[in-house]
């Protein structure tokens, strides 16, 4: 992966983390935290989409997949914080 691919990956992660934080009623973690949540969410979203047999191609598909994964991750974190 070159530097451009890495920057795009981080930008998608940041956007996905921010969107997920917005959808999950303000559970964002700031810029750096949103990037981390977005990246982990992208991996989680790819895994879940793969289990369901759903493919997401292109930039928009990557953003949707990462956002769904990040929202799922924030949901899980919220459950663990309540426990």
């Amino acid at each position: 992966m070159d530097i451009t691919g890495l920057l795009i990956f981080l930008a998608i992660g940041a956007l996905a983390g921010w969107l997920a934080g917005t959808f999950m009623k303000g559970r964002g973690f700031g810029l750096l935290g949103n990037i981390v949540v977005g990246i982990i969410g992208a991996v989680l979203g790819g895994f879940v989409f793969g289990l369901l047999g759903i493919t997401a191609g292109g930039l928009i598909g990557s953003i949707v997949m990462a956002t769904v994964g990040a929202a799922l991750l924030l949901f899980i974190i919220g459950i663990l914080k309540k426990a």
Side-chain angles (χ1 to χ4, degrees), residues 53-72:
I54 302 171
T55 59
L59 182 63
I60 300 297
S62 296
I63 293 171
V64 168
M65 183 175 58
T67 302
V68 168
L72 183 61

